[in-house]
Amino acid sequence: MEEANSAAALWWAVVASGIYHGVNPGMGWPLAVSAALMDRKPGSLYKALLALAGGHFLAMTLVLFPFSVLFLLVDWQREIQIGAACLVIALGVYLLINRRHPRFLARVPPSRLALWSFLAAMAHGAGLMLVPIYLGICRTVETNASHAAAETLMVGNAAIAAGVAVAHTMAMMLSGGLIAVGVYYWMGLKFLSKGWFNLDLVWAMSLIVVGVLSLLTMGLH
């Protein structure tokens, strides 16, 4: 029962992080609004949102899938999760110190939203943030991992990684999409120019919190 509750909480964390990424303007929804306003076509809004979601999903999978292979080292599961948590904390501390946005993102043409979304997610550690949560989910599922076949573990871990990436991206697209639709149909460019809100500090702190909570959770087991 305790493992089931822990797994449910971790899956909710995946969804919550997706909602947070969707709401955060730094993950691209203002670009979707801008594209639709410039084209004067509502369809451009939804195409842009799909492109942003595709790039974000690709970034999530490229970060998560290598850890699904690493987790085959069942004797080192705890150490791998501790290392991932420390890496997330280190990135959060770095982003607190260095508040500048990566310059290369400004060089990506607005027409290549999928590429921009992929690079933004990688640069800001969006996928890395999911790693401690993903590894925690794997630990709740693989209660008898040391006796499982390597192939079974790899397939199971990859399936969980895909599920985490899909759930996270869907939550991100829905939350960011709702804001983009509201801005496009009711608020317009005036909101984009005057109502911009910056979540960089919250984002850096959230990385640190996720890493620390992951370490604390391992300490309780």
Side-chain angles (χ1 to χ4, degrees), residues 128-217:
L128 189 61
M129 183 186 194
L130 289 177
V131 171
I133 302 173
Y134 160 69
L135 295 178
I137 293 174
C138 288
R139 286 174 67 90
T140 64
V141 173
E142 295 162 11
T143 54
N144 197 25
S146 60
H147 300 290
E151 183 179 358
T152 302
L153 281 179
M154 186 169 65
V155 172
N157 290 341
I160 294 172
V164 167
V166 169
H168 174 87
T169 304
M170 287 295 294
M172 172 230 166
M173 186 172 68
L174 288 174
S175 58
L178 286 174
I179 294 177
V181 168
V183 171
Y184 176 72
Y185 284 103
W186 295 290
M187 300 175 190
L189 279 173
K190 188 175 182 180
F191 177 84
L192 283 180
S193 61
K194 296 184 178 180
W196 184 274
F197 50 97
N198 194 320
L199 295 177
D200 288 348
L201 178 61
V202 178
W203 170 245
M205 291 299 298
S206 65
L207 287 169
I208 296 172
V209 169
V210 167
V212 170
L213 286 178
S214 180
L215 292 175
L216 292 175
T217 301

Side-chain angles (χ1 to χ4, degrees), residues 4 7 19 33 41 52 55 60-61 76 83-84 90-91 101 111 120 123 140 142 156-157 189 191 215:
I19 293 172
V33 177
K41 295 179 181 178
L52 290 170
M60 300 304 102
T61 54
W76 295 90
L91 179 60
H101 285 278
S111 58
T140 64
E142 295 162 11
N157 290 341
L189 279 173
F191 177 84
L215 292 175

Side-chain angles (χ1 to χ4, degrees), residues 43-60:
S44 297
L45 176 70
Y46 304 107
K47 289 179 182 178
L49 289 172
L50 286 175
L52 290 170
H56 197 84
F57 176 77
L58 180 60
M60 300 304 102

